[in-house]
């Protein structure tokens, strides 16, 4: 998801909206927009994590970092509020990461350590699920080998809310994958963020955020930050735009847009639980997208009533209420139609709260993370049940999955043909010659012919 890393001042309309959320005509304003199933496709057309204006702004920032190195990085950091002056420190040492961990209350240290254990266990299971391959082919052997990238840059937002959980999800997973050099970047890091980097085993910490931090990871900063082979982690739209622009120079995990949560519910679901889960995502950002898809006609109004009630004392209501006003509900004729709508959206987080949740979940085809049954709250995924919380948004779940150990691994193939007398290898070589000439590539054909036995 895409939390804000450098919160800008809210537009006047949003400030007024937040003030109205404290009282007055809350019920009518807090209702999710009601869409018919046929209207959902039109709604999805506007989901794009990167706009042209932001791309242009991010490109200018990246040019400064690429051209001027550390000086350009520091200048942008001062301009955007990460640093008070251009000579302020931008790195946090490993010793200071440990000091931050040691300085936390014992309860907070325990939470971070236990969360890390669960994330590590799941990542290790994922890593064990894919192995090297060595199989027979005509005339020899072929296979695949696995190798981690050498250097990873892990971004963790630090604007509206510090997210130490994102540090654990990205950096710890990189370490499980076997990455040698794991770096974390986060603007104005809080002690918990630094402590999470320590627990994850981060090799370096850049106390900056935004597109300029992505530039530092992509291009490297001489004698300070290595150029990274892969850049991962959620961020605001400038971070996402910068990742899009540097993709190709290095790998990225995904282009993460605003956070999304879709609850698929029938008459058995609890509207109070649904509302709480939608608000848990809505409080991320005013652009977060809460969605209810249901087969129960009364559920929409009951959930709206709960949203209204729960917002009354939610500290993050000024943010969450704006997101709720942008979210939508879809009433479907039956579960088949509801599943069709759900798969059409392909949300970041998909919660299935139906009486046949296990069976209905098998028909869910597009999602970042799937949460089966009413006890499987998405927030448990956010805070380290095991699976990663860095997930695809904006419909991209139809072609990609979330962050995992696989993000940091290279799967390479190899071929060894050494049985010169094998009729299978002779046939393979003859086929290669023929196929090359079908394609009009005579050089390929002649290279293959060099491998034919003299009497072939």
């Amino acid at each position: 998801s895409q939390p804000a890393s450098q919160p800008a001042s809210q537009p006047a309309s949003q400030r007024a909206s937040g003030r109205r959320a404290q009282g007055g005509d809350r019920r009518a304003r807090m209702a999710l927009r009601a869409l018919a199933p046929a209207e959902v496709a039109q709604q999805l057309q506007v989901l794009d994590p990167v706009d042209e204006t932001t791309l242009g702004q991010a490109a200018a920032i990246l040019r400064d970092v690429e051209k001027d190195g550390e000086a350009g990085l520091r200048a942008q950091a001062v301009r955007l509020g990460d640093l008070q002056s251009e000579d302020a420190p931008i790195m946090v040492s490993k010793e200071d990461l440990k000091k931050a961990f040691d300085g936390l209350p014992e309860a907070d240290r325990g939470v971070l350590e236990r969360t890390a254990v669960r994330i590590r266990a799941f990542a290790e299971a994922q890593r064990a699920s894919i192995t090297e391959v060595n199989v027979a082919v005509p005339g020899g052997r072929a296979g695949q080998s696995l190798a981690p990238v050498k250097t990873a840059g892990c971004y963790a937002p630090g604007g509206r809310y510090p997210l130490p959980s994102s540090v654990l999800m990205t950096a710890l997973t990189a370490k499980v994958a076997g990455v040698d050099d794991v770096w974390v970047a986060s603007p104005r890091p809080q002690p918990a963020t630094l402590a999470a980097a320590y627990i994850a085993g981060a090799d370096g910490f850049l106390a900056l955020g935004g597109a300029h931090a992505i530039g530092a990871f992509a291009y490297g900063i001489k004698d300070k930050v290595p150029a990274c082979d892969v850049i991962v982690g959620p961020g605001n739209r400038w971070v996402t735009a910068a990742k899009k622009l540097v993709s190709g120079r290095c790998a990225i995990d995904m282009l993460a847009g605003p956070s999304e949560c879709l609850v698929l519910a029938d008459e058995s679901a609890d509207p109070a639980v649904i509302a709480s889960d939608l608000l848990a995502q809505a409080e991320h950002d005013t652009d977060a997208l809460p969605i209810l898809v249901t087969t129960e006609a009364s559920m929409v109004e009951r959930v709206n009533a709960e949203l209204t009630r729960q917002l009354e004392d939610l500290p993050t209501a000024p943010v969450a209420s704006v997101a709720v006003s942008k979210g939508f509900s879809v009433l479907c004729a039956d579960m088949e139609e509801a599943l069709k709508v759900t798969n059409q959206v392909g949300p970041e987080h998909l919660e299935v709260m139906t009486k046949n949740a296990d069976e209905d979940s098998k028909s869910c085809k597009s999602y970042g993370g799937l949460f089966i049954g009413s006890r499987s709250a998405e927030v448990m995924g956010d805070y380290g049940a095991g699976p990663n919380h860095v997930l695809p948004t904006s419909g991209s779940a139809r072609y990609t999955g979330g962050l995992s150990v696989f993000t940091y691994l290279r799967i390479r193939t190899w071929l060894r043909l050494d049985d010169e007398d094998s009729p299978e290898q002779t046939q393979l070589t003859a086929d290669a010659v023929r196929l090359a000439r079908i394609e009009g590539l005579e050089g390929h054909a002649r290279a293959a012919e060099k491998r034919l036995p003299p009497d072939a």
Side-chain angles (χ1 to χ4, degrees):
S1 62
Q2 186 193 75
S5 66
Q6 295 179 138
S9 59
Q10 287 184 314
S13 61
Q14 289 184 12
R15 292 198 299 271
S17 175
R19 287 194 297 269
R20 289 197 302 271
Q22 305 308 310
D25 185 22
R26 178 194 297 274
R27 178 171 296 275
R29 193 175 62 81
M30 285 302 100
L32 294 165
R33 291 175 298 134
L35 298 183
E39 295 176 309
V40 173
Q42 180 67 30
Q43 175 68 28
L44 298 179
Q45 290 179 7
V46 302
L47 297 181
D48 189 339
V50 183
D51 62 88
E52 290 301 320
T53 299
T54 305
L55 273 174
Q57 293 168 342
I61 294 170
L62 290 174
R63 281 194 296 271
D64 281 355
V65 176
E66 182 178 24
K67 177 171 63 75
D68 298 328
E70 184 175 351
L73 176 67
R74 287 181 173 277
Q76 289 291 345
V78 170
R79 183 180 73 85
L80 295 169
D82 283 354
L83 299 178
Q84 295 301 309
S85 65
E86 291 193 14
D87 59 355
I90 60 173
M91 316 287 291
V92 181
S93 68
K94 286 187 176 182
E95 293 75 18
D96 285 338
L97 296 180
K98 185 177 187 306
K99 286 179 183 177
F101 173 76
D102 292 339
L104 289 181
E106 182 178 352
D108 291 355
R109 294 198 303 271
V111 166
L112 291 176
E113 289 176 321
R114 290 189 298 274
T115 301
V117 167
R118 294 189 291 263
I119 294 170
R120 179 184 293 277
F122 190 84
E124 287 174 345
Q126 283 187 312
R127 178 62 182 84
S129 72
I130 185 169
T131 63
E132 298 196 347
V133 172
N134 186 322
V135 298
V137 296
R141 309 286 299 181
Q144 72 178 21
S145 63
L146 309 175
V149 299
K150 184 178 184 300
T151 307
C154 302
Y155 189 89
R160 183 174 283 116
Y161 314 110
L163 296 179
S165 57
S166 288
V167 175
L168 295 176
M169 291 287 181
T170 56
L172 183 56
T173 303
K175 281 297 184 183
V176 172
V179 179
D180 285 338
D181 206 5
V182 177
W183 280 69
V184 174
S186 189
R188 303 173 296 284
Q190 299 298 307
T193 301
L194 300 174
Y198 168 74
I199 293 172
D203 298 288
F205 194 106
L206 181 64
L208 301 175
H212 45 299
I214 301 302
F217 279 164
Y219 309 124
I221 299 298
K222 185 177 180 182
D223 299 327
K224 283 191 168 62
V225 181
C228 295
D229 300 311
V230 60
I231 299 173
V232 305
N236 66 11
R237 66 180 187 268
W238 290 276
V239 169
T240 303
K243 287 170 66 178
K244 181 174 184 176
L245 291 167
V246 302
S247 177
R249 173 181 285 269
C250 60
I252 64 170
D253 52 351
M254 66 191 79
L255 299 177
S259 188
E260 305 158 355
C261 182
L262 187 154
V263 178
L264 173 62
D266 62 12
E267 71 281 0
S268 69
D270 183 340
V273 173
I274 294 174
S276 67
D277 288 1
L278 293 178
L279 290 175
Q281 289 307 302
E283 70 178 357
H284 266 299
D285 190 84
T286 56
D287 288 329
L289 189 61
I291 304 169
L292 170 64
V293 177
T294 184
T295 56
E296 170 56 41
S298 69
M299 188 61 70
V300 173
E301 181 52 38
R302 291 160 66 197
V303 169
N304 283 337
E306 279 293 333
L307 288 169
T308 297
R309 185 185 67 78
Q310 293 182 32
L311 277 165
E312 289 177 0
D313 60 358
L314 186 68
T316 53
V319 172
S321 61
V322 176
V324 167
S325 70
K326 297 177 181 178
F328 59 89
S329 62
V330 185
L331 177 60
C332 299
D334 51 33
M335 187 54 62
E336 181 179 358
E337 184 175 54
L339 287 164
K340 181 179 178 181
V341 170
T342 297
N343 289 327
Q344 186 178 27
V345 175
E348 177 188 17
H349 308 104
L350 171 56
E351 296 187 343
V352 179
M353 297 189 193
T354 63
K355 59 180 176 291
N356 298 314
D358 284 334
E359 284 302 311
D360 292 335
S361 294
K362 294 176 183 178
S363 297
C364 296
K365 305 302 182 184
S366 292
Y367 52 82
L370 177 64
F371 304 86
I372 305 168
S374 61
R375 294 193 62 82
S376 306
E378 183 280 323
V379 69
M380 304 304 183
D382 272 352
Y383 290 130
N388 210 284
H389 77 197
V390 181
L391 299 169
T393 66
S394 305
S396 58
R398 68 184 185 276
Y399 59 80
T400 190
L403 182 75
S404 70
V405 290
F406 309 127
T407 306
Y408 305 98
L409 292 176
R410 294 167 290 160
I411 301 177
R412 293 94 54 90
T413 59
W414 55 268
L415 175 68
R416 186 183 72 248
L417 300 178
D418 51 13
D419 189 354
E420 296 181 11
D421 299 325
S422 163
E424 291 84 2
Q425 180 167 342
T426 300
Q427 185 63 64
L428 168 64
T429 306
D431 286 348
V433 172
R434 182 62 183 169
L435 186 54
R437 288 186 171 135
I438 289 173
E439 294 187 347
L441 297 172
E442 183 61 23
H444 284 62
R446 295 180 184 182
E449 282 180 325
K450 298 292 185 184
R451 274 74 178 181
L452 285 170
D455 58 348

